[in-house]
Amino acid sequence: MVKRKCRKIYREAFKDPDLSFERLLFKHCYKYCVSIKRGLSPVSMYFALPCVLKTDNERRNAIYFYAAATDEKYRGRGYMAELIKRAKKKHDLIFLRPAEPSLISYYSRFGFKTATATEGFSEIELQPFGGYGELIGKIGSGEKEKEYVLMYYSKKEEAFDKIGFAYSMN
């Protein structure tokens, strides 16, 4: 029931006609789906897809905040803001790709900063693993742009200019 409702929220929000991708996303990554429920039914959700941030001298766990969506009937009530606040408490390092430019200011309100993501090699790379890695193995990177805006939140005081990340599935 919960999984089916999350799929419905996803489908309504993103209107993605690629049902094969949706099926693979929920098959390989549903275990990373986080939601807020009203009663037994989810009203807002996102995927906390596991990644590793690699630099020359360290590896850090991170999440890719993906497919954030709220049921149309519950929008404007602060549910996504609550999910973002919970994610920030739980995870030290969060990345996301805003679905549209207007969302940059929305995520900035929560302390997210912008960086440039590149498809090619970079000194700092974000790499998927777990079910997210399996999903990428099935679909490929899907990335068509050479550079795009990636946003990040870090509990450490740090700044990233360029990050290699070709798996954003935007």
Side-chain angles (χ1 to χ4, degrees), residues 74-89:
Y74 293 92
R75 289 183 186 158
R77 299 183 190 184
Y79 293 118
M80 186 54 61
E82 181 61 29
L83 283 174
I84 293 168
K85 289 174 188 173
R86 289 180 188 180
K88 286 174 54 179
K89 285 182 183 175

Side-chain angles (χ1 to χ4, degrees), residues 104-120:
I104 292 172
S105 63
Y106 177 76
Y107 288 113
S108 293
R109 293 186 349 215
F110 297 98
F112 283 82
K113 299 174 184 173
T114 59
T116 300
T118 62
E119 185 178 315

Side-chain angles (χ1 to χ4, degrees), residues 1 7 9 12 14 20 22 24 37 49 51 58 63-64 68 73 79 84 91 99 105 110 116 119 122 134 159:
M1 159 102 170
R7 282 184 81 159
I9 292 170
E12 286 176 354
F14 299 104
S20 62
E22 179 187 315
L24 288 170
K37 298 176 189 159
L49 300 175
C51 296
E58 74 175 329
I63 65 161
Y64 180 53
K73 295 179 286 201
Y79 293 118
I84 293 168
H91 303 283
S105 63
F110 297 98
T116 300
E119 185 178 315
S122 179
E134 293 172 27

Side-chain angles (χ1 to χ4, degrees), residues 1 5-6 8-9 12-13 35-45 69-83 106:
M1 159 102 170
K5 178 61 177 171
C6 285
K8 183 177 182 277
I9 292 170
E12 286 176 354
S35 65
I36 287 182
K37 298 176 189 159
R38 288 295 154 248
L40 298 175
S41 185
V43 296
S44 193
M45 47 113 5
T70 301
D71 183 311
E72 290 176 353
K73 295 179 286 201
Y74 293 92
R75 289 183 186 158
R77 299 183 190 184
Y79 293 118
M80 186 54 61
E82 181 61 29
L83 283 174
Y106 177 76

Side-chain angles (χ1 to χ4, degrees), residues 132-147:
Y132 181 26
E134 293 172 27
L135 175 64
I136 294 302
K138 300 270 187 208
I139 66 166
S141 76
E143 199 54 57
K144 292 169 183 57
E145 298 174 70
K146 295 290 181 200
E147 290 189 346

Side-chain angles (χ1 to χ4, degrees), residues 45-56:
M45 47 113 5
Y46 73 94
F47 288 89
L49 300 175
C51 296
V52 172
L53 183 72
K54 294 182 176 184
T55 64
D56 286 341

